[in-house]
Amino acid sequence: MTVPTGYRLIDLPRERKEEMVEVDQWAFAFATRPDDADALAECFPFDRGRAVEIADASRGAVGSLAAIHSSFGFQLRVPGGGVVPTAGLTWVGVHQGHRRRGLLRAMITDHFARARARGEALSTLYAAEPPIYQKFGYGLATQDVRMKIDRKPDLREVPGSDDLAVALDTASIDRHGPVLRAFQADFTRPGSTTVIPDPLLNNLFLDTESAREGGEPLRFATVLDGDRVVAWALFRRKGEWNEWDPRGVVNVPAWGAHSAAATRRLWSVLTDFDLMISTHAWLVALDDPLRHLLLHERGQKPDLRDNTWLRILDVKSTLEGRGYEADCDVTVEVTDAIIPENAGNWRVLISGGEATVTPAEGVKADLLIGIQELGAAYLGDTSIEALTRATLVTEHTPGAAHSLGRAMASSISPVCNIGF
Ligand SMILES: CC(C)(COP(=O)(O)OP(=O)(O)OC[C@H]1O[C@@H](n2cnc3c(N)ncnc32)[C@H](O)[C@@H]1OP(=O)(O)O)[C@@H](O)C(=O)NCCC(=O)NCCS
């Protein structure tokens, strides 16, 4: 593994949490109150924490941290209903005094090698800036919509929705953490994780003064069908006034719903609090029932966002790990500048919803596809055909892009409903 001269890669243990937070602040340009730093550090997965340390005095104080990163051990829901072990890359930050010297590149190479050694076939992330990770083969696999929903919007009726019970509570990781985890374990939408590691749960429930930014304590909404939790949301209101009127805003950073009835019930409550004029909904899937139920979606200022970026670490097991919508038999030549085991010709034989992927050295390829494009298409949000039309995939055999594209389509739009 190549590490720039004067630096070394190390494990990042909990004992170095103050230094870790310091680098994070240098990377993301924010301040946290001293009392809040410990709670913030508990959101960092130290069991997988890695850092770049200064090894040569010409770079700075030897032994101090120049960069950090870690990952969450996820099980990513994929089309067809299965899960694939996935490393959710997180907390990537380089101290601004050490940027553009190759530290990110060294950390990514390290991340790929360690994830593969753990048997994780995918890596996903949220990108602070979209161009960064495309250099390393991450493709845009999921998109979401953010909306600023007006108070009490018109929602189309859903039978049974009004019968569902709603409980509003101050968020408690002890009481609501298990609720959220149980929900996610059953959540069928591709692109989400069915497992929420402890530091990610800490992050979701982070409720320090710094995190509140003047708003109320974090709240938790639960929608119940009898005893069964059918929807949840974390939310925070912030009261504001202009000279005459209340202008409060509700922020909903993470939520999930199992059905249209649960979605309608949840959002009819979240969009109708006294003194609030708008509810900011994050992480709405492209085909989410909420979008279809809003009578005037355009009025809620929908804004398309990149949701998660996905990197295939092991072509064979990822392609065999998901389900498919149609049969096909194509040979694809995959290019991958970082993971040589992925590169080369693969026969993808799909039958009865399942793929068998075998090396096909010497067989003429029907399609030429880079690892970034394969990652973009993996969850079914982006079609191989669209990528071919965009000249990002090359079709050697007419019809091959259509055939593989149809097989890889997902009847449910993928989204990750939890930020990390
Ligand atoms: C983005 C960041 C991690 C890059 O770290 P770095 O050590 O400067 O990156 P490297 O020197 O290893 O650069 C690796 C490659 O990525 C490119 N790159 C780095 N930052 C980039 C950016 N913001 N946009 C586009 N490309 C970028 C570099 O040009 C380089 O390309 P090359 O190998 O073709 O020359 C660092 O600047 C940082 O911490 N920024 C603030 C926090 C942040 O955005 N973190 C990412 C959270 S998702």
Side-chain angles (χ1 to χ4, degrees):
M1 181 152 323
T2 314
V3 184
T5 309
Y7 298 96
R8 58 180 165 242
L9 279 163
I10 57 162
D11 283 340
L12 180 49
R14 184 181 298 274
E15 296 74 60
R16 298 188 73 172
K17 64 183 178 186
E18 282 88 6
E19 295 168 77
M20 184 278 290
V21 170
E22 174 77 7
V23 174
D24 193 45
Q25 291 182 331
W26 268 105
F28 287 94
F30 72 99
T32 195
R33 297 156 66 112
D35 294 351
D36 296 343
D38 274 355
L40 181 66
E42 285 309 311
C43 305
F44 184 88
F46 282 104
D47 56 336
R48 291 156 167 254
R50 296 284 283 168
V52 179
E53 195 178 60
I54 297 175
D56 186 298
S58 64
R59 297 296 194 185
V62 172
S64 58
L65 297 186
I68 57 169
H69 80 278
S70 190
S71 65
F72 294 112
F74 287 156
Q75 295 290 331
L76 194 81
R77 184 75 73 189
V78 293
V83 291
V84 170
T86 297
L89 183 61
T90 190
W91 285 80
V92 174
V94 174
H95 188 299
Q96 292 297 283
H98 301 272
R99 63 195 281 278
R100 306 301 182 270
R101 294 176 182 173
L103 300 191
L104 173 64
R105 186 170 286 281
M107 292 198 297
I108 292 277
T109 315
D110 179 60
H111 168 65
F112 288 174
R114 293 168 72 87
R116 278 173 57 87
R118 285 189 296 258
E120 291 159 345
L122 294 170
S123 173
T124 54
L125 58 82
Y126 280 86
E129 293 179 282
I132 306 174
Y133 294 95
Q134 297 182 49
K135 288 196 175 288
F136 306 108
Y138 284 85
L140 180 54
T142 61
Q143 294 179 285
D144 66 56
V145 176
R146 283 186 198 171
M147 284 189 266
K148 293 181 179 174
I149 306 176
D150 291 341
R151 173 100 180 257
K152 224 173 180 340
D154 289 325
L155 290 166
R156 297 173 72 172
E157 294 299 325
V158 179
S161 179
D162 292 343
D163 302 333
L164 300 173
V166 180
L168 302 180
D169 202 349
T170 299
S172 152
I173 194 165
D174 293 336
R175 280 182 288 116
H176 303 124
V179 171
L180 193 154
R181 276 185 160 143
F183 179 97
Q184 287 299 127
D186 287 346
F187 197 41
T188 53
R189 185 178 284 283
S192 59
T193 171
T194 61
V195 168
I196 311 288
D198 286 345
L200 180 55
L201 200 67
N202 293 341
N203 190 39
L204 283 164
F205 283 84
L206 190 68
D207 195 24
T208 56
E209 286 299 328
S210 310
R212 285 181 190 172
E213 295 180 331
E216 68 173 344
L218 192 63
R219 312 291 193 192
F220 196 85
T222 315
V223 180
L224 291 151
D225 185 356
D227 290 341
R228 180 169 182 249
V229 174
V230 289
W232 64 272
L234 283 159
F235 71 98
R236 197 192 295 282
R237 296 170 304 161
K238 187 173 181 183
E240 280 178 24
W241 295 74
N242 65 11
E243 198 178 349
W244 308 107
D245 298 308
R247 305 191 61 76
V249 169
V250 189
N251 198 26
V252 186
W255 65 284
H258 279 316
S259 66
T263 303
R264 190 188 192 286
R265 189 73 183 101
L266 179 70
W267 287 97
S268 63
V269 171
L270 295 176
T271 54
D272 189 20
F273 288 117
D274 290 343
L275 310 184
M276 302 291 120
I277 58 161
S278 171
T279 299
H280 294 190
W282 292 49
L283 307 178
V284 179
L286 299 190
D287 66 353
D288 199 279
L290 177 61
R291 299 191 61 198
H292 297 287
L293 295 178
L294 282 163
L295 218 53
H296 182 19
E297 193 201 23
R298 193 204 322 156
Q300 321 310 327
K301 301 159 206 72
D303 179 13
L304 185 67
R305 313 289 295 213
D306 50 313
N307 181 250
T308 51
W309 295 76
L310 181 148
R311 212 299 177 183
I312 292 181
L313 303 180
D314 181 328
V315 165
K316 179 177 165 64
S317 66
T318 42
L319 290 182
E320 289 184 345
R322 57 155 287 182
Y324 294 85
E325 300 264 323
D327 292 352
C328 86
D329 184 359
V330 293
T331 297
V332 291
E333 180 186 352
V334 176
T335 57
D336 189 335
I338 303 180
I339 302 178
E341 293 87 342
N342 282 339
N345 289 15
W346 298 92
R347 181 180 180 200
V348 183
L349 176 62
I350 299 171
S351 171
E354 291 181 5
T356 307
V357 179
T358 44
E361 213 49 53
V363 179
K364 180 180 167 292
D366 302 307
L367 293 168
L368 172 65
I369 183 162
I371 201 70
Q372 178 181 349
E373 282 66 47
L374 198 56
Y378 182 66
L379 293 174
D381 198 27
T382 300
S383 92
I384 295 278
E385 269 193 289
L387 293 170
T388 306
R389 282 197 298 274
T391 71
L392 298 173
V393 171
T394 305
E395 187 180 59
H396 299 308
T397 307
H402 175 71
S403 177
L404 185 59
R406 226 162 48 97
M408 291 183 78
S410 172
S411 53
I412 309 174
S413 276
V415 86
C416 185
N417 67 328
I418 289 188
F420 61 91

